[in-house]
Amino acid sequence: MVTLVYDGLDIGETTMTKANIEELEFETTSCFMAYDAKSGEVLYIHECMKQKGPYEPEADPNEDTVLQMVREDYGNRNLKVMKLPEDFELKSESTYHVDPSSGELEESYSPTVKFRDFIKQAE
């Protein structure tokens, strides 16, 4: 969820205020996954989004651009980036890794409770 601190944020030709911020809707245009090429550990997920409606979105980055962004945080690791299929949906109850030999994304169900979910249950 995006929170705006100040009224009057300009988004395109529309000035957004606290009164109309709830009207914003976004959709994912593409998703990239950066992983360690030796272990298959997923290190970073880059989700590109655009505002729904007749707005002209910025062009999504390519795999090389995402790789350059990730290198800043994981510079000495052997990194690779894959673009996920357009209809792919990340599941919050699953964990992901990439098979180093085939380069295929693998999903495994992870029924453990995440800390943020544990806190929500306590409320």
Side-chain angles (χ1 to χ4, degrees):
M1 173 188 272
V2 175
T3 304
L4 298 178
V5 178
Y6 303 105
D7 275 347
L9 175 68
D10 288 327
I11 298 179
E13 296 179 10
T14 305
T15 300
M16 300 306 297
T17 64
K18 288 179 185 175
N20 64 2
I21 192 67
E22 292 178 1
E23 297 173 10
L24 288 178
E25 289 186 66
F26 293 91
E27 61 187 345
T28 300
T29 57
S30 62
C31 190
F32 297 87
M33 194 171 278
Y35 62 96
D36 185 297
K38 291 181 182 177
S39 69
E41 176 188 7
V42 173
L43 303 171
Y44 177 81
I45 297 173
H46 185 84
E47 204 169 357
C48 302
M49 303 184 90
K50 76 170 191 88
Q51 186 175 350
K52 285 186 178 181
Y55 305 100
E56 186 64 34
E58 292 182 23
D60 289 343
N62 59 30
E63 292 176 359
D64 290 333
T65 303
V66 174
L67 182 62
Q68 293 307 315
M69 289 188 299
V70 176
R71 283 199 194 282
E72 294 177 16
D73 293 327
Y74 301 99
N76 61 346
R77 292 179 87 162
N78 185 7
L79 303 173
K80 286 192 176 180
V81 172
M82 71 167 47
K83 183 174 182 178
L84 300 176
E86 287 186 27
D87 59 344
F88 186 84
E89 191 172 318
L90 293 169
K91 299 174 187 167
S92 61
E93 69 276 359
S94 296
T95 57
Y96 298 91
H97 73 277
V98 178
D99 182 303
S101 59
S102 69
E104 295 288 320
L105 180 63
E106 296 178 347
E107 173 185 348
S108 57
Y109 181 68
S110 176
T112 59
V113 176
K114 294 179 174 70
F115 183 71
R116 67 176 174 257
D117 297 330
F118 176 76
I119 295 297
K120 286 180 186 176
Q121 289 176 357
E123 294 175 347

